């Protein structure tokens, strides 16, 4: 403690002590005066209230705050930016039919967003037969997934936003075939079956809602080791050299809008394993809180959507699949409208 600080404290203590002493002496003097009023009648009608002659107790001054010593570091860590920003860089890409964020490490998207409406699905200006899978040249060559990475990998080039959702324009449909909209997916039993039925379910939501927004992406979830009981994240990597990660799961977050400004939004969140799934398995068995996907992915989906506007999708309509033959589903790419309206729960 500095000498100045000690002097201030000593001065304050001395002043306070003298004031207290004076007050005590004054009270003794008043009590010895016989003309003073008794305690039971402090202010008799003929007497005036006593006036204290002692000075008020001084308020101690606050101790001075020591100034923070300014630090001049001898190093400059951000100077490395003169050579380039290390990242991560998410390669945000808005297209006609999709908006996506790409993960350069896994060579898969973080997420791909789409918007479908009754009018967009009824349009018939795109034909899948005229589209081809292509590498996305907007991603630097050393970070992008390549066509040969999928060759004889045993996995489908699985659309995150399906081509059937972009029939309103051939250019829009073509963009769904960029590899930045793909992830390695199990083919039989998943991409060509349960996952495709799930995509059809999303399209049929437009029979109830004028606007539906969907965010789709991969997850890499831990599994418990049967031998030591520990949890580990483990996934296959395909390509030559191996560089495209095979997700363990996929998610969809659905926003079904009622079309009113500031209106209700029915939300649904689902996580499906990248594996063969029996078509009889109820869709609601894969329903999860959106917060679970956020924790697993590190993403946020509805931070600006107030709680009072949120509804639970599967409480508003029946969340169930309509299982259709693979060949019949592809006929939808030639312009058929989504059939069989979803029913509302009783």
């Amino acid at each position: 403690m500095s000498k100045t600080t000690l002097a201030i404290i000593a001065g304050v203590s001395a002043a306070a002590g003298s004031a207290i002493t004076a007050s005590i002496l004054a009270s003794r003097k008043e009590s010895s005066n016989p003309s003073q009023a008794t305690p039971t009648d402090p202010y008799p009608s003929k007497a005036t209230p006593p006036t204290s002659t002692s000075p008020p107790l001084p308020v101690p001054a606050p101790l001075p705050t020591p100034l923070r010593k300014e630090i001049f570091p001898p190093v400059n860590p951000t100077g490395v930016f003169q050579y380039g920003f290390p990242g991560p860089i998410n390669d945000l890409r808005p297209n006609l039919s999709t908006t996506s964020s790409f993960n350069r490490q896994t060579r898969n998207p973080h997420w791909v967003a789409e918007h479908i409406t009754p009018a967009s699905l009824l349009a018939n200006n795109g034909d899948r037969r005229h589209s081809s899978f292509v590498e996305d040249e907007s991603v630097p060559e050393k970070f992008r997934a390549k066509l040969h990475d999928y060759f004889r990998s045993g996995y489908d080039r699985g659309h995150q936003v399906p081509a059937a959702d972009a029939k309103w324009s051939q250019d829009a449909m073509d963009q769904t075939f960029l590899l930045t909209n793909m992830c390695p997916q199990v083919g039989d039993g998943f991409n060509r079956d349960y996952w495709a039925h799930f995509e059809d379910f999303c399209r049929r939501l437009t029979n109830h809602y004028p606007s539906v927004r969907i965010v789709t992406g991969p997850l890499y979830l831990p599994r418990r080791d049967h031998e030591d009981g520990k949890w580990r994240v483990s996934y296959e990597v395909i390509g030559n050299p191996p560089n495209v990660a095979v997700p363990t799961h996929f998610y969809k977050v659905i926003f079904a809008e009622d079309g009113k400004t500031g209106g209700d939004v029915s939300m649904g969140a689902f996580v499906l394993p990248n594996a063969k799934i029996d078509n009889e398995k109820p869709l609601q068995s894969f329903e999860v809180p959106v917060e679970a996907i956020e924790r697993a992915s590190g993403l946020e989906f509805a931070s600006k959507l107030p709680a009072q506007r949120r509804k639970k999708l599967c409480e508003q309509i029946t969340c169930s699949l309509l299982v259709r033959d693979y060949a019949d589903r592809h006929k939808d790419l030639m312009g058929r409208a989504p059939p069989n309206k979803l029913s509302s729960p009783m």
Side-chain angles (χ1 to χ4, degrees), residues 36-221:
Q36 196 67 260
T38 61
T40 55
D41 189 9
Y43 301 114
S45 58
K46 294 183 179 180
T48 58
T51 302
S52 174
T53 58
S54 62
L57 295 177
V59 179
L63 297 178
T65 303
L67 295 177
R68 183 178 180 183
K69 185 178 180 180
E70 191 171 359
I71 299 175
F72 298 96
V75 294
N76 178 22
T78 58
V80 73
F81 294 164
Q82 66 183 301
Y83 307 117
F85 178 66
I89 297 173
N90 295 321
D91 295 303
L92 183 67
R93 174 155 186 169
N95 286 327
L96 292 172
S97 52
T98 68
T99 296
S100 63
S101 173
F102 187 71
N103 185 334
R104 293 183 174 188
Q105 182 181 11
T106 63
R107 273 71 170 177
N108 289 322
H110 291 289
W111 52 266
V112 188
E114 62 171 313
H115 181 211
I116 55 177
T117 66
S120 72
L121 294 179
L122 283 172
N124 184 25
N125 302 315
D127 188 334
R128 185 187 181 106
R129 291 172 297 186
H130 300 154
S131 300
S132 300
F133 292 97
V134 291
E135 298 174 14
D136 193 335
E137 295 184 355
S138 70
V139 177
E141 191 274 338
K142 64 181 176 180
F143 296 124
R144 76 174 73 129
K146 305 195 172 55
L147 292 171
H148 65 74
D149 290 329
Y150 284 85
F151 182 66
R152 291 183 177 177
S153 67
Y155 293 96
D156 286 0
R157 292 165 291 198
H159 283 72
Q160 301 303 281
V161 169
D165 292 0
K167 297 192 310 292
W168 53 270
S169 160
Q170 186 62 51
D171 289 337
M173 179 175 281
D174 289 346
Q175 289 176 350
T176 68
F177 283 82
L178 289 167
L179 291 190
T180 45
N181 184 43
M182 304 293 158
C183 290
Q185 287 186 329
V186 171
D188 289 335
F190 186 66
N191 181 47
R192 305 171 207 169
D193 292 284
Y194 202 96
W195 183 255
H197 304 320
F198 187 22
E199 292 171 336
D200 178 66
F201 163 81
C202 294
R203 284 189 287 273
R204 288 186 291 121
L205 288 173
T206 59
N207 291 317
H208 287 263
Y209 300 94
S211 173
V212 178
R213 302 180 192 275
I214 308 162
V215 184
T216 306
L219 292 173
Y220 308 88
L221 301 184

Side-chain angles (χ1 to χ4, degrees), residues 1-16 60-61 63-64:
M1 186 179 293
S2 65
K3 292 182 179 180
T4 303
T5 304
L6 289 171
I8 292 173
I9 295 174
V12 170
S13 301
L63 297 178

Side-chain angles (χ1 to χ4, degrees), residues 12-36:
V12 170
S13 301
S18 61
I20 294 170
T21 302
S23 176
I24 294 173
L25 292 176
S27 62
R28 287 180 178 176
K29 184 176 180 180
E30 291 170 359
S31 61
S32 61
N33 190 346
S35 62
Q36 196 67 260

Side-chain angles (χ1 to χ4, degrees), residues 259-275:
K260 302 174 184 177
T261 302
D264 293 339
V265 179
S266 297
M267 286 189 64
F270 303 85
V271 173
L272 283 66
N274 188 11

